Amino acid sequence: MKVTVIGSGNLGKSIISGLASSDLFDPKNIMVADASPENLEIIKEQAGVSVTANNVEAIKDSKWIILCIQPRILKVVLEEIKGHLKEDQVLISTVTGVTTEEINEYVPNNKVIRAMPNTAAVKQQSMSFICAENNDDEDVEFVRKMFGTIGKAIIIEQRLMKPATVLGASGTAFFLRFLRALTQGGVQMGFHPHEAQEIVAQVAIGAASLIEDGTQAEVEVDNVTTPQGCTIEGLNAMEHNGLSSAVIQGVMAAYDKISNINGQ
């Protein structure tokens, strides 16, 4: 099987690198299309894939066509390739806020699957969400495996793509802001900023690993706290100042905002 990636910006490069290093595709069967000769040269050298500046040429022999482009040029690209698509080719869209139905208005005879990674894709640590009109389709499962090469990927209902955007994409910024606050606290206690950030980053990785198997977060919180200890003192001070409430309100404010934007 062959796969085409249209767009080789940061996300495109991450996906290409993940696929090229996986068992799903031989790098020689990965075609990358981009208008930037510089981007193409970089990705060709890094991943050993084929490259072209011609979108129509790029899709010729591929079953899978991944659209890693900005929303503003989606219609332009679809208009360009729609007359050259075969019915058995599958379009995979990473374009934010555009539903499968909207894409099918341009390419009504092709299967469309949505995939939403986050910015940690550049570190192969994305949380990606996959959905389609029919999530039971075997092609949807294969796309989940594809995006599993750049982190973790799960299949969700399309109606959950907006909440997924808040939790999985905006959540990165929310979490980093909390880590920044921890870092500032570390500096106030005496660490140099780079030391505090290194400590906080590793603590975050370790904390996340503790609940990867499904263990409830509060169980691990209890494992850290001791009666009359400094941890419970700090936790209670944070809660008195509205930590949990502020986080939940922030999440819901982001969800309210995205819910007022057209699309899913």
Side-chain angles (χ1 to χ4, degrees), residues 177-187 189 196 200 203-204 238:
R177 180 58 60 85
F178 179 70
L179 295 190
R180 173 60 180 161
L182 282 181
T183 299
Q184 290 174 311
V187 173
M189 290 187 296
V200 166
V203 168
M238 290 178 189

Side-chain angles (χ1 to χ4, degrees), residues 133-159:
E133 281 298 292
N134 176 17
N135 280 348
D136 293 327
D137 191 300
E138 62 182 11
D139 286 339
V140 177
E141 172 59 22
F142 188 76
V143 172
R144 185 195 65 77
K145 291 180 181 178
M146 290 171 66
F147 280 80
T149 67
I150 57 169
K152 183 171 289 188
I154 62 172
I155 297 170
I156 64 172
E157 297 176 47
Q158 190 157 203
R159 67 178 181 83

Side-chain angles (χ1 to χ4, degrees), residues 1-4 25 62-66 90 92 139 142-143:
M1 283 190 298
K2 295 184 177 182
V3 59
T4 292
F25 296 96
S62 294
K63 174 179 173 61
W64 311 96
I65 300 166
I66 306 177
V90 179
I92 303 165
D139 286 339
F142 188 76
V143 172

Side-chain angles (χ1 to χ4, degrees), residues 156-217:
I156 64 172
E157 297 176 47
Q158 190 157 203
R159 67 178 181 83
L160 291 173
M161 283 301 267
K162 285 183 178 180
T165 301
V166 173
L167 206 56
S170 302
T172 302
F174 301 157
F175 197 74
L176 288 171
R177 180 58 60 85
F178 179 70
L179 295 190
R180 173 60 180 161
L182 282 181
T183 299
Q184 290 174 311
V187 173
Q188 187 169 346
M189 290 187 296
F191 287 105
H192 290 289
H194 70 276
E195 293 174 327
Q197 180 166 297
E198 182 179 2
I199 293 167
V200 166
Q202 183 56 42
V203 168
I205 293 169
S209 71
L210 292 173
I211 60 172
E212 279 187 320
D213 62 357
T215 300
Q216 292 296 312

